[in-house]
Amino acid sequence: MRSKDETKVQLILGTALKMIERVGLAGLKMSDLAKEAGVATGTVYIYFEDKNQLIRELYLYLMHYNTADLNQPISENEPLKIKIKKIARNYLNNNINNPEHGAFLEQYFRSPYFHEDDATHQAEELALQPIYSLLVEGQRQSLIKDADPELLVTLVCGMLNEVAKVSIYTQKPITPAEWELTFSVLWDGIRS
Amino acid sequence: MRSKDETKVQLILGTALKMIERVGLAGLKMSDLAKEAGVATGTVYIYFEDKNQLIRELYLYLMHYNTADLNQPISENEPLKIKIKKIARNYLNNNINNPEHGAFLEQYFRSPYFHEDDATHQAEELALQPIYSLLVEGQRQSLIKDADPELLVTLVCGMLNEVAKVSIYTQKPITPAEWELTFSVLWDGIRS
DNA sequence: TTTGTAAATGAATTTTAATTCACCTAATTT
DNA sequence: AAATTAGGTGAATTAAAATTCATTTACAAA
């Protein structure tokens, strides 16, 4: 008897993720994937039913990962503005440090592998929950514009997503000055 | 003699664009495309070398289209704030009314069809030029935060892109209240 | 009208990539 | 340490999709 190597699942998924960032979902070949992961083609089929399921798993794996990540503990006893600044920075860093994630998800939602029942929305909402809560808290303290918090989250994330994209694209990290400006636009935009 | 029907190029590209929004670049089959466009498979190959070139053409076609579009004349003799509000609304509407465009471009940039030399950046910069100019004008009038205008454009477009995405996704148009909030966040964010 | 030519067709072919499988190997159990 | 069993391999197979091409129109010029 020989037991399945759970490490290999991670290896294959991780390799797929990196490759997809490079060649796109449309360009991912099972044989290339196997080669790059350093296993035989057939091995991939031991751990995954077929390509479809592999992509599916990758999605679930990412969702799980992402959701966990924004929930880093926020130091209490700080002014709300600072809390928001920290969580925003956290969100931005997450996006910049894991460009493969955004690249994959962007494509997944538009691919033939994606089916509506994928709990997309729940997962996304869950991931944004912490930001949402902070904004609502701010509204209660009359610090934040009294308007649909959903829309506020959308606007805030829109800014951060785009900044992340540019940073990834230009391969330049965010400078302190850039971050200060970004947060200033964000904060002045939402404060009441 | 029989002459090529230029209309057919448009038909095929347009059909491809709509299909890609639905099934993704990875899901586009030449035979399906032909069927949906109402022509024979072979006909597609009369107008396009191969799939690769078809996708490439589609990109050029879109770039051309998009660039032209933001350059709608802006009524002069209005306060800058109003001008920015109008151009922002224009940008938003463009995104919402042509969801296929965003869907395609998003995927194209990450596909095996895309090559760096595609003049991506020039085209994009060109499209954002009008917004950029207005912001700089605002800085000269000390109405807009005195900071890197590139980054300001990024932030502004980020907000608008995300709002467009949500509107497309939920299939709900932007309500007047939503638009007012969006612009208020945008404006308060960038004004000095 | 007739004729020449290029567009249009879609079944047949070729190409590409997914998936299988007969054979090998390494871990576990007795 | 032998036997057993499931993992691992990669060439061979199958499936899917791109592309071709012999044939059939439709148009334009003569």
Side-chain angles (χ1 to χ4, degrees):
Chain A
M1 243 277 249
R2 196 173 167 186
S3 62
K4 273 194 189 172
D5 184 356
E6 267 313 306
T7 254
K8 211 151 277 187
V9 172
Q10 305 292 317
L11 170 68
I12 293 172
L13 290 179
T15 305
L17 199 51
K18 274 183 228 129
M19 289 185 76
I20 289 170
E21 186 189 7
R22 184 146 36 80
V23 301
L25 247 186
L28 183 73
K29 314 285 152 68
M30 293 299 261
S31 51
D32 292 351
L33 168 57
K35 199 181 301 171
E36 193 155 324
V39 299
T41 317
T43 305
V44 176
Y45 286 87
I46 291 170
Y47 292 91
F48 303 93
E49 192 66 25
D50 54 19
K51 187 175 175 181
N52 189 74
Q53 197 228 340
L54 162 45
I55 303 290
R56 208 55 102 76
E57 293 279 320
L58 191 46
Y59 169 73
L60 296 172
Y61 166 76
L62 263 195
M63 271 320 185
H64 176 64
Y65 182 101
N66 277 345
T67 304
D69 211 39
L70 257 195
N71 286 315
Q72 289 180 15
I74 305 159
S75 47
E76 285 301 326
N77 300 112
E78 293 200 277
L80 191 83
K81 182 175 173 183
I82 301 300
K83 284 193 204 162
I84 291 181
K85 191 169 185 179
K86 281 188 177 170
I87 206 171
R89 182 72 217 217
N90 197 213
Y91 180 90
L92 181 62
N93 284 344
N94 259 114
N95 275 301
I96 293 177
N97 297 334
N98 304 293
E100 330 81 69
H101 295 200
F104 172 75
L105 291 175
E106 215 170 76
Q107 292 183 79
Y108 180 74
F109 293 136
R110 301 185 180 286
S111 77
Y113 304 105
F114 169 69
H115 291 294
E116 296 299 343
D117 53 297
D118 275 354
T120 313
H121 241 218
Q122 288 105 311
E124 202 167 313
E125 271 170 37
L126 206 60
L128 300 179
Q129 184 60 48
I131 297 178
Y132 183 92
S133 302
L134 279 182
L135 293 183
V136 170
E137 188 185 329
Q139 288 179 328
R140 273 199 302 268
Q141 297 178 217
S142 300
L143 289 172
I144 301 286
K145 278 176 182 157
D146 184 23
D148 179 12
E150 294 274 0
L151 183 48
L152 289 177
V153 170
T154 299
L155 291 163
V156 165
C157 290
M159 294 188 230
L160 298 173
N161 289 340
E162 202 71 20
V163 170
K165 257 191 205 169
V166 171
S167 166
I168 291 166
Y169 183 82
T170 62
Q171 299 187 290
K172 290 187 179 138
I174 306 295
T175 66
E178 284 166 343
W179 168 242
E180 290 308 323
L181 175 59
T182 297
F183 185 69
S184 127
V185 171
L186 188 164
W187 178 254
D188 291 340
I190 66 176
R191 80 197 238 192
S192 55
Chain B
M1 242 278 243
R2 196 171 164 188
S3 61
K4 273 194 190 173
D5 184 356
E6 267 314 306
T7 256
K8 211 150 276 185
V9 172
Q10 304 292 315
L11 169 68
I12 294 173
L13 289 179
T15 305
L17 200 52
K18 275 184 225 127
M19 289 185 77
I20 289 169
E21 185 189 8
R22 184 147 36 80
V23 302
L25 247 186
L28 183 73
K29 313 288 152 64
M30 292 300 259
S31 52
D32 293 351
L33 168 56
K35 199 181 300 169
E36 193 154 324
V39 299
T41 319
T43 304
V44 177
Y45 285 88
I46 289 169
Y47 293 91
F48 303 94
E49 191 66 24
D50 55 18
K51 187 175 176 181
N52 188 74
Q53 197 230 339
L54 163 46
I55 302 289
R56 207 54 102 73
E57 292 280 320
L58 192 46
Y59 169 72
L60 295 174
Y61 166 76
L62 262 195
M63 270 320 185
H64 176 64
Y65 182 102
N66 276 344
T67 304
D69 211 40
L70 256 196
N71 286 315
Q72 288 180 17
I74 305 159
S75 48
E76 285 301 329
N77 300 112
E78 293 199 276
L80 191 84
K81 182 175 174 183
I82 300 300
K83 284 192 204 163
I84 292 181
K85 191 169 185 180
K86 281 187 178 170
I87 206 172
R89 182 71 217 219
N90 197 214
Y91 181 90
L92 182 60
N93 284 344
N94 259 115
N95 275 302
I96 294 176
N97 297 333
N98 305 293
E100 328 84 68
H101 295 200
F104 172 75
L105 291 175
E106 214 170 77
Q107 290 183 79
Y108 180 74
F109 294 135
R110 300 184 180 287
S111 76
Y113 304 104
F114 169 70
H115 292 294
E116 297 298 342
D117 53 297
D118 275 356
T120 314
H121 242 219
Q122 288 105 311
E124 202 167 314
E125 270 170 37
L126 205 59
L128 300 180
Q129 184 59 50
I131 296 177
Y132 183 93
S133 302
L134 279 182
L135 293 183
V136 171
E137 188 185 329
Q139 289 179 327
R140 275 199 299 267
Q141 298 178 216
S142 300
L143 289 172
I144 301 287
K145 279 175 181 157
D146 184 24
D148 178 12
E150 293 273 358
L151 182 49
L152 289 177
V153 171
T154 298
L155 291 163
V156 165
C157 290
M159 295 189 229
L160 297 173
N161 288 339
E162 202 72 19
V163 170
K165 258 192 204 169
V166 171
S167 165
I168 290 166
Y169 183 82
T170 62
Q171 299 187 292
K172 289 187 180 135
I174 306 297
T175 66
E178 284 166 345
W179 168 242
E180 290 307 323
L181 175 59
T182 297
F183 185 69
S184 127
V185 171
L186 188 165
W187 178 253
D188 291 341
I190 65 176
R191 80 196 235 193
S192 57

